[in-house]
């Protein structure tokens, strides 16, 4: 009898350890459990990312713990730690700041829980198993090429006046967006065909902490007040995403003679509803469309491959070094939307309805 009890206790101990380290038990129902940590509900895109992923993971039979951290780093750390303690088998994390989750990631590694960095690379941690995102350098490249083609920079005499608003310096992606665009436009800046009137061209000069609309607007207002109130024409404003682009548009509408001089070419990213509406109104020129349904589907696929012990799909093993080594990555391809193709990309695909854009 003692031997039987000993065996039973050993089995119970193994089961307990499996739960604690992301093993096969996962949850009380027996379903594998996936923790999904999103940075904030303040930006439309993260609401869509979270909802798409939750729906697909549940449809695939997983239990899902979806949490939003209200753009507070310590909240996100606590939420991820709770996911680990509650027996999640895989973690999918879109970080507020790429280097901010060290303690929680150490816990995940100690517990043997694989981590997928979602759209924002988790930096300086060897706990990161995979990275799933859109091709971030290509995002910037497409923004730069749109400006190049719209202004016909290869042939036009110029000069054209330009300003730049980049993203959050704490987000690893922001540097890729910026550099992709600048690598297209730098030769025209060097030639004097593009003139950055404010003189602010370096990433650290044009970056926008937290991608905040208000911060982008305040900086744009200062640039306009110091360089464009005398009637100087602004031809293009390179913006890395829609929240910063909205800030720039707000500043221009209030402080720049758009009625007399016209709207400059303004870029963006994410196809947020408000920005698409502005695009249709002739204010914003384009926005990079990253279909979050595609990214969510890929992450669900990668999650299933991890949990079943299969080879995980990646298509880039060279680009994304998080400070501890290159992270195997899957890069989805972005496209741009403007007034000429938004119906096909956004409406015909079911991403938005006509009513969404009224």
């Amino acid at each position: 009898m003692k031997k039987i009890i000993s065996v039973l206790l050993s089995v119970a101990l193994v089961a307990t350890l499996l739960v604690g380290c992301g093993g096969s038990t996962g949850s009380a129902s027996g379903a594998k459990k996936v923790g999904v940590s999103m940075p904030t509900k303040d930006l439309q895109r993260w609401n869509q990312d979270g909802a798409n992923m939750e729906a697909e993971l549940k449809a695939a039979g997983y239990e899902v713990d979806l949490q939003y951290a209200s753009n507070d780093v310590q909240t996100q750390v606590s939420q991820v730690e709770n996911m680990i303690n509650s027996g999640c088998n895989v973690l999918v994390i879109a970080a507020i700041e790429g280097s901010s989750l060290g303690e929680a990631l150490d816990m995940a590694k100690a517990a043997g829980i694989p981590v997928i960095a979602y759209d924002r690379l988790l930096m300086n941690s060897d706990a990161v198993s995979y990275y799933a995102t859109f091709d971030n350098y290509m995002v910037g490249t497409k923004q730069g090429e749109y400006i190049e083609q719209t202004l016909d920079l290869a042939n036009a005499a110029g000069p054209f006046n330009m300003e730049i608003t980049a993203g959050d310096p704490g987000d690893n992606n922001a540097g890729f967006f910026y550099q992709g665009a600048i690598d297209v436009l730098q030769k025209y800046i060097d030639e004097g065909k593009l003139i950055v009137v404010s003189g602010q061209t370096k990433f650290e000069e044009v970056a926008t902490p937290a991608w905040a609309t208000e911060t982008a607007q305040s900086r744009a207002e200062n640039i306009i007040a110091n360089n464009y109130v005398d009637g100087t024409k602004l031809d293009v404003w390179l913006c890395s995403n829609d929240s910063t682009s909205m800030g720039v548009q707000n500043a221009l509408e209030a402080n720049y003679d758009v009625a007399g001089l016209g709207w400059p070419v303004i870029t963006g990213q994410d196809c947020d509803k408000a920005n698409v509406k502005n695009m249709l109104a002739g204010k914003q020129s384009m926005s990079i469309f990253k279909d979050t349904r595609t990214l969510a589907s890929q992450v669900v696929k990668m999650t299933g491959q991890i949990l079943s012990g299969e080879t995980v799909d990646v298509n880039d093993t060279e680009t994304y070094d998080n400070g501890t080594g290159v992270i195997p990555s899957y890069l989805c391809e972005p496209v741009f939307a403007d007034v000429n193709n938004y119906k096909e990309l956004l409406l015909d695909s079911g991403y938005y309805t006509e009513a969404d854009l009224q």
Side-chain angles (χ1 to χ4, degrees):
M1 178 62 72
K2 290 182 179 179
K3 185 175 182 181
I4 293 173
I5 292 173
S6 177
V7 170
L8 290 174
L9 288 173
S10 297
V11 170
L13 177 60
V14 170
T16 300
L17 289 172
L18 283 171
V19 171
C21 69
S24 60
T25 50
S27 68
S29 66
K32 298 291 180 69
K33 187 175 181 181
V34 181
V36 179
S37 175
M38 293 281 112
T40 180
K41 285 188 174 182
D42 292 343
L43 295 183
Q44 176 194 316
R45 67 140 311 175
W46 296 119
N47 294 310
Q48 292 175 223
D49 282 79
N52 289 336
M53 193 144 17
E54 182 178 37
E56 290 216 26
L57 286 166
K58 285 184 175 179
Y62 303 115
E63 183 181 341
V64 182
D65 183 1
L66 171 63
Q67 300 288 333
Y68 290 87
S70 301
N71 259 343
D72 182 77
V73 170
Q74 192 52 53
T75 296
Q76 188 166 42
V77 171
S78 297
Q79 288 175 343
V80 172
E81 289 176 348
N82 288 338
M83 291 175 186
I84 294 168
N85 291 329
S86 70
C88 286
N89 302 94
V90 174
L91 296 175
V92 179
I93 302 173
I96 296 168
E97 295 177 0
S99 300
S100 64
L101 296 177
E103 304 167 36
L105 294 177
D106 289 345
M107 280 183 63
K109 182 180 179 182
I113 303 174
V115 175
I116 301 175
Y118 184 90
D119 204 44
R120 293 176 172 178
L121 186 58
L122 294 160
M123 302 299 292
N124 304 314
S125 173
D126 60 0
V128 184
S129 307
Y130 300 97
Y131 180 37
T133 188
F134 285 84
D135 189 327
N136 298 308
Y137 182 82
M138 187 185 293
V139 168
T141 299
K142 287 183 179 292
Q143 291 173 334
E145 289 175 346
Y146 186 92
I147 292 169
E148 180 182 45
Q149 293 165 13
T150 302
L151 297 181
D152 192 21
L153 292 176
N155 302 300
F160 300 99
N161 293 327
M162 179 176 78
E163 298 297 338
I164 305 168
T165 296
D168 182 3
D171 181 349
N172 184 66
N173 291 351
F176 282 97
F177 300 148
Y178 165 84
Q179 199 61 53
I182 292 300
D183 284 350
V184 174
L185 301 175
Q186 187 64 54
K187 62 182 178 182
Y188 300 113
I189 296 173
D190 293 342
E191 292 171 2
K193 193 173 286 190
L194 282 176
I195 298 175
V196 181
V197 180
S198 69
Q200 298 176 28
T201 59
K202 296 178 181 179
F203 178 76
E204 55 269 25
E205 295 175 317
V206 302
T208 308
W211 300 93
T213 297
E214 297 78 10
T215 304
Q217 180 172 339
S218 178
R219 176 173 168 268
E221 288 170 347
N222 288 333
I223 289 174
I224 294 165
N226 291 325
N227 301 282
Y228 295 96
V229 291
D230 61 354
T232 298
K233 189 176 188 300
L234 176 64
D235 298 290
V236 57
W237 204 307
L238 169 66
C239 298
S240 287
N241 85 324
D242 280 353
S243 60
T244 57
S245 183
M246 185 61 75
V248 167
Q249 291 168 62
N250 292 342
L252 287 169
E253 199 152 31
N255 302 282
Y256 177 76
D257 184 16
V258 290
L261 298 173
W263 284 92
V265 175
I266 302 177
T267 63
Q269 174 186 184
D270 294 328
C271 285
D272 288 349
K273 291 177 186 176
N275 294 75
V276 176
K277 290 178 183 179
N278 276 5
M279 195 163 65
L280 300 182
K283 299 177 182 180
Q284 184 169 326
S285 306
M286 62 85 81
S287 184
I288 296 295
F289 178 49
K290 302 190 301 188
D291 193 335
T292 54
R293 296 168 299 184
T294 301
L295 185 56
S297 295
Q298 181 59 36
V299 170
V300 171
K301 182 179 181 181
M302 294 169 74
T303 299
Q305 290 168 333
I306 290 170
L307 292 175
S308 63
E310 300 174 18
T311 300
V312 177
D313 281 354
V314 296
N315 59 13
D316 186 295
T317 56
E318 298 178 356
T319 305
Y320 292 95
D321 189 327
N322 78 339
T324 65
V326 175
I327 306 301
S329 305
Y330 191 96
L331 310 182
C332 300
E333 183 174 349
V335 297
F336 77 83
D338 64 8
V339 293
N340 299 309
N341 67 359
Y342 82 96
K343 287 184 178 179
E344 176 186 353
L345 289 177
L346 303 179
L347 298 179
D348 294 349
S349 70
Y351 195 78
Y352 289 142
T353 65
E354 290 275 8
D356 289 329
L357 303 181
Q358 296 302 312

